[in-house]
Amino acid sequence: MRKCVIFDLDGTLTRSEEGIWNCVKYAAEKLGFEEPDAATLRKFIGPPLGYSFREYMGMDDAMADKAVETYRERYNVLGLFENRVFPGIRRLLRTLKNDGWYIGVATGKPQRASERIIAYFGLDKYITKVCGPVGDHRPDKIDLIRNALPAQWDEAWMVGDRKFDVEGAIGAGVRSIGVGYGYGSEEELRQSGCDEYCETVQDLIDFLCPDSQVPAGAFLSIEGLDGSGKSTQIRLLTDAIDRFGYEIVHSREPGGCAISEKIRDLVLDKENVGMCDITEAMLYAASRAQHVRQVIRPAVAAGKVLLCDRFVDSSVAYQGGGRQLGVQTVLDINARAVDGTMPLATVYLDIDHETSLKRRAAATELDRMEMEADSFHARTEAAYRELIKRDPERFIVVDATQSPEVMGKQIAEKVMGRLMEAE
Ligand code: TYD
């Protein structure tokens, strides 16, 4: 039984308005037109470009042709990738593929550009065939859908966000699913006669793969000395992960769930000056034991990407190095807590303890760990280095004295590589 599903690209698998709008603005500026406002920009999604430049920006034919050319100049290099995969789409495609579905794409976007976008996001391993216009030939949606299908099939669905997708499906003789998270409305899709309507990507998964096993997600952690800029990088990395269509969940250690947050308060409380080093190490491990079981494992099992602000490496560095309990002792204390659950990749924001000290000095409120002497942080740094040496495959080490944007790009590229490799 050959089950097939053909997807529309724009508004169904990906959303491309950011790239389109940036390129329209670029063309307007280059040709001396005023920057179009948000309402005008929105109208550019859907119709042919030349039409939009003429209708919405008052250009004559020659100028509109020039605008299209200028738009493409930027689009082919940058705009194409200023795109986002809808959250959950990766999980949908992985599940379909695991279940043996044939997956194709039928799109009004030029075929070459569509293939480049699909490859950039690493979705090409799920999609067997991409059909879009080639050169000046503009086939209608019916032909595109027919071409995207394999020679033989028993069950076939077209999934799209606009009436053109539904009408194309009817013409091509396949059933259709309208999706509500794209550019069309439920009313438009139902009126055009879709067989099914799915409001969200999750509805689509529930409809097409009701009894399927959810493919596992991934566990990532981020580490560094205090003041290494973790919060900014977590924000930038979150955007990158989300852009690729993964469903991201955040957590932190110590903490991440109610019981572990209580342990966090205890362990970071400035009043607790009498806490023994071994008590401290065990409290961090206890917080982790709960967090691993209650948050990390369930999130990964549900197909999410869990990004954790610090994990066991912090214990090894701060308690093993800083407190001088020793790397191996702290690893032993944590063995039962972690119980084999380790990150797929760990981003290490690399600053030395002197830079960390300078950055911490600028902060107003310091917790019990941050108040420690510089020698403590020097030993913490040394223990981190030891860990990286022991496990170079897992760590992604980034020079944290660079600008946040440069670091963000380096981190995103490497993390995305690891995530896609692990899929
Ligand atoms: P937090 O406010 O989360 O600091 P940061 O923003 O730098 O992560 O405080 C966590 C502190 O606890 C930080 O100084 C590192 C320390 N820590 C340990 O000593 N051992 C551990 O196992 C963990 C997770 C954190």
Side-chain angles (χ1 to χ4, degrees):
M1 167 96 171
R2 187 111 217 232
K3 296 184 293 183
C4 303
V5 58
I6 308 299
F7 288 96
D8 165 53
L9 183 63
D10 222 356
T12 303
L13 295 179
T14 57
R15 57 189 309 156
S16 58
E17 65 264 23
E18 189 187 329
I20 295 175
W21 293 345
N22 287 342
C23 295
V24 172
K25 284 194 236 170
Y26 172 84
E29 194 193 328
K30 274 225 145 171
L31 300 178
F33 282 75
E34 218 174 279
E35 183 174 310
D37 60 17
T40 310
L41 286 172
R42 268 199 296 275
K43 293 188 197 155
F44 271 80
I45 298 170
L49 271 175
Y51 172 89
S52 298
F53 280 118
R54 280 192 303 274
E55 288 298 308
Y56 311 135
M57 292 186 64
M59 294 183 182
D60 61 26
D61 286 358
M63 187 56 86
D65 286 350
K66 226 167 164 186
V68 172
E69 205 180 293
T70 315
Y71 173 104
R72 293 220 168 109
E73 214 173 83
R74 188 181 180 282
Y75 188 79
N76 287 328
V77 188
L78 291 174
L80 202 60
F81 307 115
E82 289 166 338
N83 219 306
R84 304 187 88 89
V85 179
F86 285 104
I89 284 295
R90 293 197 99 83
R91 186 156 56 87
L92 168 66
L93 295 179
R94 281 176 80 189
T95 312
L96 287 167
K97 189 89 181 173
N98 288 345
D99 284 2
W101 286 74
Y102 166 101
I103 306 172
V105 164
T107 169
K109 200 187 259 315
Q111 182 161 313
R112 183 74 198 108
S114 305
E115 284 167 346
R116 284 177 71 198
I117 293 168
I118 287 167
Y120 173 77
F121 287 117
L123 301 179
D124 45 342
K125 64 176 156 199
Y126 304 114
I127 296 165
T128 306
K129 198 168 179 195
V130 178
C131 289
V134 178
D136 290 332
H137 179 55
R138 301 239 142 230
D140 62 20
K141 199 88 190 189
I142 299 175
D143 286 335
L144 290 168
I145 295 169
R146 280 199 185 122
N147 287 339
L149 282 164
Q152 273 160 7
W153 48 270
D154 303 296
E155 179 186 345
W157 293 92
M158 169 71 201
V159 181
D161 67 315
R162 299 300 308 272
K163 65 175 181 195
F164 314 106
D165 302 314
V166 175
E167 288 162 2
I170 294 167
V174 301
R175 284 186 284 172
S176 63
I177 305 173
V179 293
Y181 55 82
Y183 299 114
S185 66
E186 178 173 358
E187 196 191 358
E188 169 185 324
L189 290 160
R190 289 212 189 268
Q191 271 177 6
S192 54
C194 64
D195 297 284
E196 291 291 333
Y197 173 77
C198 290
E199 182 69 32
T200 63
V201 176
Q202 185 59 51
D203 292 345
L204 208 45
I205 295 174
D206 293 341
F207 178 72
L208 289 172
C209 334
D211 306 312
S212 310
Q213 206 179 340
V214 180
F219 170 28
L220 304 172
S221 65
I222 182 161
E223 296 276 352
L225 292 177
D226 301 285
S228 56
K230 274 193 287 109
S231 314
T232 308
Q233 290 311 319
I234 288 171
R235 188 168 47 74
L236 294 175
L237 181 56
T238 297
D239 184 61
I241 292 173
D242 181 68
R243 180 181 281 278
F244 273 67
Y246 294 98
E247 298 150 287
I248 182 151
V249 180
H250 294 102
S251 203
R252 66 167 181 184
E253 289 208 345
C257 52
I259 293 171
S260 305
E261 287 290 332
K262 283 190 178 162
I263 302 176
R264 177 189 175 93
D265 292 343
L266 188 66
V267 86
L268 295 179
D269 189 346
K270 277 183 286 198
E271 303 287 308
N272 287 335
V273 280
M275 190 181 289
C276 302
D277 293 349
I278 193 79
T279 311
E280 181 183 287
M282 289 178 138
L283 283 174
Y284 277 116
S287 150
R288 181 162 302 125
Q290 185 69 26
H291 185 227
V292 162
R293 286 155 184 82
Q294 200 180 333
V295 178
I296 299 176
R297 285 180 185 161
V300 173
K304 316 277 185 214
V305 171
L306 184 127
L307 174 58
C308 195
D309 181 353
R310 300 191 178 282
F311 191 59
V312 67
D313 302 308
S314 281
S315 278
V316 178
Y318 284 79
Q319 283 66 54
R323 297 276 186 236
Q324 297 181 288
L325 286 174
V327 167
Q328 198 52 50
T329 306
V330 176
L331 283 173
D332 291 345
I333 289 173
N334 276 278
R336 295 288 286 274
V338 167
D339 189 33
T341 298
M342 283 298 282
L344 168 72
T346 297
V347 176
Y348 180 67
L349 303 183
D350 191 0
I351 50 162
D352 56 37
H353 60 278
E354 279 126 5
T355 314
S356 162
L357 178 72
K358 273 188 227 137
R359 292 191 186 170
R360 263 178 295 130
T364 44
E365 185 93 34
L366 297 180
D367 64 36
R368 210 168 57 82
M369 308 303 294
E370 289 167 329
M371 280 162 26
E372 281 298 331
D374 193 39
S375 55
F376 172 94
H377 289 95
R379 288 193 302 271
T380 304
E381 184 194 345
Y384 266 130
R385 301 216 178 278
E386 165 72 27
L387 276 171
I388 294 163
K389 224 176 4 184
R390 281 190 184 202
D391 203 354
E393 299 277 294
R394 173 166 61 92
F395 280 96
I396 294 172
V397 180
V398 181
D399 175 358
T401 60
Q402 305 175 92
S403 78
E405 292 72 29
V406 170
M407 285 164 69
K409 282 214 178 89
Q410 292 172 354
I411 294 170
E413 195 177 314
K414 292 200 172 127
V415 169
M416 248 33 92
R418 298 271 178 102
L419 284 175
M420 290 197 273
E421 216 177 84
E423 263 180 354

